[in-house]
Amino acid sequence: MINALRGMKDLMFEDAKRYIYVVDTASKIAQRYGYNYIETPILEETALFKRSVGESSDIVGKEMYQFEDKGGNDVCMRPEGTAGVVRAFIQAKLDRTQNQKYRFYYYGPMFRYERPQKGRLREFHQFGVESFGEEAVEEDFTIIQMVADIFNALGIGYTLKINSLGCPECMPKYRDELINRLHSIKDDLCSDCQRRVSTNPIRVLDCKNSHCQELLTDVPKICDRLCNSCKSDFEKLQYMLDRSSIDYTIDKHLVRGLDYYTKTAFEFVSSEVGAQSAIAGGGRYDRLVSFLGGKDTAGVGFALGVERILELVKMPKSSREGYYMGIMTEEARDILFDIAHKKRVDSKVIVEYAKKSLKAHLKGADRANARYALIIGEDELKSKSVWLKDLETKEEQVISVNDL
Ligand code: HAM
């Protein structure tokens, strides 16, 4: 027997229903915030992710589904959505239009060759948004508010962590100071962190190793070294969050696992999902468009991991819906198909093809969770009518086909 690959799952029945409910709910909310749907290819040139997510990140360094296609191109299955949307934005020359804002939302599969565990898959689904051309920190707040709206609509509790990662003015200075300090404690850090001191020093700050965290207590943090403009934006974000009902904490160690962020970085976590507690993450990436060859354009966005929240989603109770239709005499077959096709204009219709007894049909209608059972037997055929039972109210009636 051939099974699905490790870390990859079939979405069916209840999970599939939940998936559709999550992306429908999130899509409707994103549309209310002015976002338009975008779909970009799953395969992209490997260089796109190397340049955006960053070669020193775990995602690019260890986790990419990367291969050479039949034409000899170095391609890769997208590990995240932002890079592809930025590429599409530049390719469509939207960076050349002046003072325009563009807002996109997307959902679909992402691929990371990670060690699978609960909440961590190799193929998983994200819902995300990307906003272009808005420099104001109000946009960061608005996106955070949208994520909160989505989780509230889905009935999912969360805590929000925020940080600021600075800009090209304050970050490099801080980075030099950090490297100096890290060198003084390097020998005591874990082996991953020792490597990161030279490849990606900022990532040392969010190491999960408790001994490293102890050593990092006195190490300066970027949000204490922000330039005036970054500091004022970060304070404004806090002011707006304070005015809203969204609880948050400042996490000075929050640096995110992707290299493209500047200024605001945030993560939504849930205590209900186990070790993989991050249910959404995002932030600002004002340098990414120009870094990928476009004109300097501000950007900010987020993505949530659908599988991480699937079990927690509070779905509205599914009620009986549509028709189950069946025949008790062969001669009624043609008319049943005509009725079914007419009803399908606005209703869900499930047709049982086999001729059966009334009792067997009612059992089938119940299994199909139909609201109505519509059955044609010999008597109904003669009188050009149907037998209809409302399975919720238990009401039964015979209606003429013309009145249906
Ligand atoms: P990310 O934090 O790498 O950000 O992923 C976003 C979310 O995807 C995570 O919070 C988590 O819920 C989910 N996720 C990540 N990896 C896995 C996995 N292996 N299995 C299951 N779920 C997972 C990004 O991807 C950025 N592109 C977000 C963004 C958009 N920033 C700006 N715009």
Side-chain angles (χ1 to χ4, degrees):
M1 197 177 78
I2 299 172
N3 288 320
L5 296 174
R6 200 162 117 77
M8 305 205 175
K9 281 212 301 207
D10 303 306
L11 268 178
M12 55 169 126
F13 297 121
E14 188 58 24
D15 279 350
K17 254 192 212 165
R18 285 167 177 269
Y19 175 73
I20 297 286
Y21 182 67
V22 169
V23 296
D24 275 358
T25 305
S27 300
K28 277 184 199 132
I29 292 174
Q31 285 162 16
R32 279 187 239 141
Y33 277 80
Y35 285 77
N36 296 301
Y37 183 66
I38 186 169
E39 191 161 322
T40 63
I42 286 168
L43 273 187
E44 296 271 5
E45 270 186 49
T46 301
L48 174 66
F49 301 106
K50 283 194 173 167
R51 270 203 261 161
S52 55
V53 177
E55 296 213 51
S56 60
S57 67
D58 284 352
I59 296 177
V60 170
K62 301 182 191 166
E63 297 166 1
M64 289 222 288
Y65 277 88
Q66 181 185 354
F67 57 93
E68 198 182 284
D69 71 8
K70 291 193 197 306
N73 305 299
D74 184 2
V75 297
C76 146
M77 311 209 357
R78 62 180 185 195
E80 59 102 52
T82 310
V85 177
V86 173
R87 188 221 16 88
F89 174 81
I90 300 169
Q91 194 171 335
K93 300 190 169 50
L94 302 179
D95 56 329
R96 315 266 174 92
T97 52
Q98 269 183 354
N99 297 325
Q100 273 276 86
K101 320 264 187 269
Y102 294 94
R103 297 187 175 92
F104 297 107
Y105 74 92
Y106 53 89
Y107 52 84
M110 308 290 159
F111 302 84
R112 296 183 192 175
Y113 197 85
E114 297 195 74
R115 201 167 44 78
Q117 63 179 77
K118 188 174 185 303
R120 199 206 275 153
L121 293 156
R122 288 180 174 168
E123 183 188 19
F124 60 98
H125 296 77
Q126 283 186 346
F127 176 92
V129 312
E130 312 297 346
S131 156
F132 297 99
E134 184 52 86
E135 282 172 27
V137 70
E138 279 87 341
E139 187 75 344
D140 311 24
F141 167 75
T142 305
I143 286 183
I144 291 176
Q145 196 170 44
M146 172 168 56
V147 187
D149 281 356
I150 292 171
F151 286 140
N152 289 339
L154 297 171
I156 290 170
Y158 56 79
T159 31
L160 168 66
K161 298 192 292 186
I162 59 166
N163 194 15
S164 174
L165 300 177
C167 68
E169 196 187 317
C170 47
M171 179 43 117
K173 276 186 226 152
Y174 166 73
R175 201 169 178 272
D176 289 346
E177 184 185 354
L178 177 68
I179 293 171
N180 272 337
R181 282 295 291 273
L182 290 179
H183 273 299
S184 67
I185 54 170
K186 189 174 172 187
D187 294 344
D188 297 324
L189 292 169
C190 73
S191 55
D192 270 348
C193 283
Q194 291 192 5
R195 185 174 40 80
R196 285 184 192 128
V197 171
S198 44
T199 58
N200 199 351
I202 313 292
R203 290 278 346 242
V204 172
L205 291 176
D206 80 340
C207 177
K208 302 288 175 280
N209 182 313
S210 57
H211 183 60
C212 289
Q213 280 305 323
E214 250 170 63
L215 293 168
L216 292 167
T217 321
D218 297 329
V219 168
K221 309 292 163 358
I222 173 65
C223 73
D224 299 321
R225 295 288 190 273
L226 298 175
C227 62
N228 286 340
S229 147
C230 288
K231 190 162 178 265
S232 129
D233 276 355
F234 195 40
E235 282 167 2
K236 196 163 188 186
L237 176 65
Q238 292 167 54
Y239 166 78
M240 294 186 83
L241 286 170
D242 288 336
R243 279 195 70 251
S244 76
S245 55
I246 305 167
D247 281 337
Y248 68 95
T249 51
I250 296 174
D251 180 350
K252 295 183 177 185
H253 289 231
L254 178 72
V255 296
R256 311 269 302 124
L258 309 95
D259 288 353
Y260 47 62
Y261 293 109
T262 48
K263 296 189 171 179
T264 309
F266 63 86
E267 237 163 53
F268 282 75
V269 293
S270 164
S271 53
E272 297 168 72
V273 295
Q276 300 306 314
S277 60
I279 51 175
R284 187 162 271 284
Y285 48 82
D286 289 346
R287 283 181 302 168
L288 186 54
V289 175
S290 60
F291 210 68
L292 289 175
K295 259 181 78 179
D296 222 6
T297 310
V300 50
F302 91 95
L304 66 81
V306 181
E307 279 82 358
R308 295 226 173 134
I309 58 167
L310 225 44
E311 281 174 23
L312 305 175
V313 173
K314 314 259 181 319
M315 298 261 289
K317 243 184 94 197
S318 80
S319 47
R320 291 185 171 279
E321 190 198 351
Y323 290 81
Y324 167 101
M325 299 189 180
I327 50 173
M328 293 167 63
T329 171
E330 250 336 297
E331 283 70 42
R333 187 173 291 277
D334 291 348
I335 180 132
L336 184 84
F337 272 86
D338 292 345
I339 294 171
H341 190 228
K342 275 195 187 133
K343 274 286 162 202
R344 278 185 175 131
V345 169
D346 57 8
S347 304
K348 174 177 166 183
V349 176
I350 290 174
V351 176
E352 169 56 57
Y353 304 139
K355 181 185 92 175
K356 285 185 177 175
S357 71
L358 183 61
K359 200 173 154 205
H361 275 316
L362 286 175
K363 239 190 197 164
D366 197 45
R367 263 200 304 266
N369 206 24
R371 171 80 192 258
Y372 300 101
L374 185 155
I375 312 297
I376 311 180
E378 265 174 40
D379 290 350
E380 288 81 20
L381 186 65
K382 269 189 217 141
S383 61
K384 291 201 167 63
S385 55
V386 302
W387 182 85
L388 192 70
K389 179 167 181 173
D390 183 330
L391 295 165
E392 219 159 79
T393 63
K394 312 288 177 211
E395 227 175 290
E396 298 171 14
Q397 53 181 320
V398 175
I399 313 180
S400 106
V401 171
N402 289 334
D403 293 344
L404 253 184

